[in-house]
């Protein structure tokens, strides 16, 4: 076998093995998307009703609270960035990081200092490589987050929003995550969690234009908001984590399908080159045999004379 043909066969074997791996990863990601979508759907009713309750308390009282009250001149904001722990998901993490960078630039242009909180090893590695300060980070659960993970992430953020900026607190809380639209579309988005925009909350809950009933608060509206604050932040972060997990699996499935298709095309191309090399080798051998036979015939004819 010629050297060129051996090279082609070796490359075909290597790419075939890679194709099997990418195909398996594609199938695994496809199976996980359905589970992630179900979790997103299951989390929505709780988040919607909780937002509706917060809206009712905010509109039914004049209490000033970090959950609903805008600071006149905000000077500090916290940004929670959600990325992935693993790669091979196309531009999933890089798109979220770019969205966070744009948000950070916008906040700084408004004269606000920004504290960055990160979920996922990809985001941590990005900021670590650039030696940029991170307020806190969490890893190890991005592909299948639980509510306990959301509570763990929400703890430092809730503490920061309740402190004065002079004590290291923040005036605003933003989150950057990847919204799952469909199997083919996932968008990196950002949104402000706190203070809660009542108009936006009414649109999300479908209560825009509704006349809310009157409420009596026990022991007080402020205590009710204190109790709702951690639940609201946890539910919003949990929903963002679930949306991001579904988006990560969809992006990985799409990336692995593309890799599998490309591997198949490359195998076809190399197979054609290998066949051409084999044909050339066979042709050369036939030419050598024919040439040798002719030489022997000529030699025999000369000896007979």
């Amino acid at each position: 076998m010629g050297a060129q043909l051996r090279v082609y066969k070796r490359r075909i074997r290597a790419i075939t093995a890679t194709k099997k791996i990418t195909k398996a990863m594609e199938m695994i990601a496809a199976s996980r998307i359905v589970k992630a979508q179900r979790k997103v759907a299951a989390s929505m009713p709780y988040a919607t009703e909780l937002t509706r309750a917060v809206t009712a308390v905010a509109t039914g009282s004049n209490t000033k609270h970090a959950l609903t009250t805008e600071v006149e001149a905000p000077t500090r904001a916290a940004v929670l960035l959600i990325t992935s722990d693993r790669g091979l998901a196309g531009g999933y993490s890089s798109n979220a990081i770019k969205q966070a960078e744009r948000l950070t630039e916008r906040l700084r242009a408004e004269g606000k200092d920004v504290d960055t909180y990160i979920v996922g090893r990809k985001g941590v590695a990005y900021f670590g490589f650039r030696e940029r300060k991170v307020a806190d980070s969490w890893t190890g659960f991005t592909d299948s987050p639980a509510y306990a993970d959301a509570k763990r992430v929400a703890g430092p953020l809730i503490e920061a929003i309740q402190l004065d900026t002079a004590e290291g607190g923040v005036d605003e809380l933003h989150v950057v995550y990847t919204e799952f639209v469909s199997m083919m579309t996932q968008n990196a988005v950002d949104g402000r969690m706190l203070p809660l925009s009542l108009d936006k909350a009414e649109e999300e809950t479908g209560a825009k234009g509704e006349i809310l009933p009157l409420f009596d608060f026990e022991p007080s509206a402020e205590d009710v908001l204190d109790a709702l604050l951690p639940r609201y932040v946890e539910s919003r972060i949990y929903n963002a984590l679930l949306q991001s997990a579904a988006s990560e699996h969809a992006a990985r499935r799409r990336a692995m399908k593309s890799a599998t298709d490309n591997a198949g095309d490359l195998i076809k191309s190399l197979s054609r080159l290998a066949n051409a090399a084999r044909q050339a080798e066979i042709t050369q051998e036939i030419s050598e045999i024919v040439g040798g036979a002719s030489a022997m015939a000529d030699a025999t004819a000369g000896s007979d004379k």
Side-chain angles (χ1 to χ4, degrees):
M1 186 183 294
Q4 192 65 37
L5 186 57
R6 282 196 296 271
V7 170
Y8 288 141
K9 286 186 173 294
R10 192 183 307 121
R11 290 190 63 189
I12 289 172
R13 286 195 297 270
I15 295 170
T16 301
T18 302
K19 182 181 177 181
K20 291 179 181 178
I21 295 172
T22 56
K23 183 64 177 179
M25 294 182 68
E26 176 191 347
M27 295 175 66
I28 292 170
S31 67
R32 290 178 176 175
I33 293 172
V34 178
K35 296 178 182 178
Q37 284 181 287
R38 289 174 181 169
K39 288 184 178 181
V40 172
S43 72
M44 291 303 295
Y46 176 76
T48 300
E49 290 304 317
L50 190 57
T51 304
R52 188 188 295 270
V54 172
T55 304
V57 177
T59 55
S61 68
N62 296 322
T63 302
K64 290 186 177 181
H65 194 274
L67 185 58
T68 57
T69 304
E70 297 271 358
V71 178
E72 291 185 4
T75 59
R76 198 172 194 86
V79 174
L80 173 64
L81 167 62
I82 300 176
T83 62
S84 67
D85 285 323
R86 298 185 294 126
L88 301 177
Y92 165 75
S93 291
S94 61
N95 290 337
I97 291 171
K98 289 176 183 177
Q99 187 69 23
E101 294 282 37
R102 287 192 289 267
L103 173 61
T104 300
E105 290 177 4
R106 187 168 72 245
L107 293 173
R108 285 175 177 164
E110 295 172 359
K112 302 169 187 173
D113 294 327
V114 178
D115 292 341
T116 304
Y117 297 78
I118 301 177
V119 173
R121 292 190 179 95
K122 291 298 180 180
V124 173
Y126 176 87
F127 279 76
F129 179 77
R130 288 157 181 78
E131 297 182 351
R132 293 165 58 178
K133 184 179 179 182
V134 174
D136 207 344
S137 63
W138 302 266
T139 60
F141 55 82
T142 60
D143 60 344
S144 183
Y147 194 82
D149 300 316
K151 290 184 69 173
R152 189 151 53 93
V153 174
L157 297 170
I158 295 170
E159 183 180 352
I161 199 69
Q162 290 176 324
L163 292 175
D164 293 332
T165 53
E167 300 174 352
V170 297
D171 299 316
E172 297 177 355
L173 175 56
H174 300 258
V175 61
V176 179
Y177 66 100
T178 306
E179 180 184 28
F180 182 86
V181 179
S182 67
M183 295 285 281
M184 297 302 297
T185 305
Q186 301 87 42
N187 298 323
V189 297
D190 65 82
R192 193 183 73 178
M193 278 197 291
L194 296 176
L196 175 66
S197 172
L198 296 182
D199 290 338
K200 187 175 181 180
E202 289 177 352
E203 289 179 1
E204 290 178 357
T205 59
K208 190 73 173 177
E210 282 189 13
I211 299 176
L212 297 174
L214 297 175
F215 291 94
D216 290 327
F217 303 107
E218 290 289 345
S220 67
E222 184 175 1
D223 290 332
V224 173
L225 288 172
D226 284 339
L228 288 175
L229 173 61
R231 304 290 181 272
Y232 173 78
V233 175
E234 290 166 6
S235 68
R236 290 296 297 269
I237 291 176
Y238 184 51
N239 183 262
L241 289 172
L242 292 177
Q243 293 259 10
S244 296
S247 299
E248 178 184 347
H249 294 314
R252 182 168 291 112
R253 174 188 173 275
R254 191 166 61 251
M256 291 300 98
K257 185 180 187 306
S258 178
T260 302
D261 293 342
N262 290 339
D265 294 340
L266 189 54
I267 289 171
K268 289 179 182 178
S269 177
L270 289 172
S271 296
R272 284 195 293 267
L273 292 173
N275 291 335
R278 186 183 299 110
Q279 290 289 344
E281 186 176 319
I282 292 171
T283 302
Q284 182 179 356
E285 290 177 355
I286 291 173
S287 298
E288 291 174 353
I289 292 171
V290 171
S294 299
M296 290 179 63
D298 292 342
T300 302
S303 63
D304 291 340
K305 292 178 182 180

